[in-house]
Amino acid sequence: MKVTNSLIQEAWELHERAIVFYGDRPVGTVAACDPTVEALNYDQCFVRDFVPSALVFLIQGKTNIVRNFLVETLALQGRDKQMDNFNASRGLMPASFKVNTTPSGEHYLTADFGEHAIGRVTPVDSCLWWIILLRAYVRATGDLALAHQPDFQQGLVWILQLCLAERFDMYPTLLVPDGACMIDRRMGVDGYPLEIQSLFYAALQAAQELLLPGYQRDIYIQLLSDRLKILSYHIRQYYWLDLKRLNTIYRYRGEEFGETAVNKFNIYPESIPYWVMEWMPEQGGYLAGNLGPARMDFRFFALGNLMAILGSLVSESEAQAIMDLIEQRWQDLIGHMPMKICYPALVDLEWKLITGCDPKNVPWSYHNGGNWPVLMWLLVAAAQKTGRPDIGQRALEIARRRLREDEWPEYYDGSYGRFVGKASRKYQTWTIAGFLLAEALMQDPSHLHLISFAGNAETLSWLPRATRQETVHQNLA
Ligand code: GLC
């Protein structure tokens, strides 16, 4: 107990040290404070990295930093500007921002929408996390007035316009370019990756709670409700994998035409990788990593699956099945550090073709099957939500044994996560925040309400009726 307390104390202190100030106001946290390697962009505040930090601050009652973050990132939101010949569409939220100082000592912010990022990847997840975080802030503080400010309503609508825009494709899932989320490199996560769909589903529910009814918002409320329904149908129907479903796919006929087609996406049974046929437990299941024409990515992706539980994108029994899978494939998915970002790793020719020979993403390293301690908070949250706290507890005990000694690494390598990642940063902020958040959620599951959603059946009942019927700001464009 004493050891745990001193460990948590150290994590609190390190977390405080990561705070970034804009003028004299705290606005975020840097990605890592590793003095031994070149900072590159790890001295910036990443939107996705700040999420666990923000939740920790909200739990601590330090709500100002989260408010400031939301206000400043909103001010940076994309406005159809060309930057370095890359165009950030209106509504896009940056991947990261940096506080710079003029020669006269004044602070100013610069944002990176991916036009500077390695591989020039578009951070689609940022705007989804931003809405989810705004809802968490409102839930923690009751400050719905912030979300109802005209600039916040405008920001929300721009994000929704971007996500709900009519496009060439017909699926209810969000079509995104490669590297649009936590895995921000070529890893076969282009198209309809699960992580984006889980975040999208949660963000749409959050938007339902945050939009002011009336004016053009009523149209959005209707659109959101329709999209949520078909999105959850699509994901539950077509992404779900368990032994029974694998068996069905195994016996699929190809080339089916018309309305009665069973194999709607024309998945060829020959494309089922051998590992999944062996690996799928009798009891348990998960959502596939990606789905498109003749393409089913059978890999298990942790963030997408855990977020699907928190957002109630999966049914209750499916949520239990995902936890069963984690329990039954413990060594593979948790091993020596919770938890594996995706399983299994891409190897050989597949690694060459899919990653473009990425030396950082060699098998069982970094995004390609590395173990990322930040994922622990999502695991503990999902464990609490499904009434399986023992799973969270077991994982947390593993992390407690190593994180301090290993100096809070960004990720671990090896099929069971036994090695500190080859190019891993030390003192990675979301590792520290993820650990603190996991501890807090373990101790008090009531914090779950910040990040958990009831699914499309959720009513707006948690909001006081009077607030919901507030008059609409007329000056919204
Ligand atoms: C890496 C990760 C990305 C993270 C960033 C900062 O690029 O892939 O998800 O946001 O580092 O920690």
Side-chain angles (χ1 to χ4, degrees), residues 221-415:
I221 297 286
Q222 191 52 50
L223 278 175
L224 295 181
S225 146
D226 294 347
R227 188 66 173 257
L228 282 165
K229 273 191 216 118
I230 51 170
L231 182 57
S232 75
Y233 176 84
H234 184 93
I235 297 281
R236 288 182 191 189
Q237 196 73 15
Y238 306 122
Y239 278 62
W240 183 252
L241 287 174
D242 56 18
L243 204 54
K244 189 161 170 249
R245 183 118 170 82
L246 260 188
N247 224 319
T248 310
I249 301 173
Y250 183 63
R251 294 170 51 81
Y252 264 165
R253 282 193 299 133
E255 318 293 327
E256 288 178 297
F257 175 80
E259 278 172 31
T260 52
V262 179
N263 181 4
K264 293 210 165 52
F265 301 93
N266 203 29
I267 308 295
Y268 295 106
E270 292 72 16
S271 70
I272 305 177
Y274 179 69
W275 67 262
V276 75
M277 308 213 11
E278 295 294 313
W279 193 70
M280 184 67 83
E282 299 286 312
Q283 198 188 332
Y286 62 97
L287 294 171
N290 211 333
L291 179 73
R295 173 190 187 187
M296 184 166 231
D297 185 342
F298 290 86
R299 284 175 293 170
F300 171 89
F301 286 84
L303 205 163
N305 272 282
L306 297 172
M307 199 61 209
I309 295 178
L310 294 179
S312 294
L313 175 55
V314 285
S315 68
E316 270 182 54
S317 62
E318 287 163 349
Q320 291 297 336
I322 295 173
M323 298 314 283
D324 286 339
L325 175 97
I326 293 172
E327 210 165 31
Q328 299 201 31
R329 294 292 174 258
W330 189 263
Q331 270 299 89
D332 292 330
L333 298 179
I334 307 291
H336 292 255
M337 180 53 68
M339 117 167 245
K340 191 68 78 196
I341 192 168
C342 77
Y343 180 90
L346 300 167
V347 297
D348 302 330
L349 185 61
E350 224 180 0
W351 166 76
K352 284 189 182 163
L353 295 177
I354 295 180
T355 73
C357 303
D358 185 346
K360 205 167 168 183
N361 271 337
V362 290
W364 307 111
S365 184
Y366 200 46
H367 300 135
N368 189 12
N371 289 37
W372 289 65
V374 62
L375 297 170
M376 201 167 30
W377 78 265
L378 288 146
L379 175 66
V380 170
Q384 290 288 26
K385 179 158 177 173
T386 50
R388 314 272 292 262
D390 47 310
I391 294 184
Q393 187 62 38
R394 239 178 108 192
L396 201 46
E397 273 159 25
I398 296 173
R400 280 186 196 137
R401 286 200 288 270
R402 294 191 64 183
L403 281 179
R404 172 164 44 191
E405 198 184 315
D406 294 343
E407 299 173 301
W408 311 93
E410 181 185 12
Y411 66 95
Y412 285 78
D413 284 356
S415 29

Side-chain angles (χ1 to χ4, degrees), residues 31-32 41-42 44 46-49 95 118 125 181-185 195 341 360 366-367 372 410 425 428-430:
N41 55 352
Y42 281 77
Q44 306 207 2
F46 282 74
V47 171
R48 72 174 75 85
D49 292 42
I118 296 166
D125 65 340
C181 50
M182 177 182 179
I183 298 181
D184 52 2
R185 295 167 93 98
E195 176 174 334
I341 192 168
K360 205 167 168 183
Y366 200 46
H367 300 135
W372 289 65
E410 181 185 12
R425 308 266 147 176
Q428 181 82 17
T429 305
W430 69 357

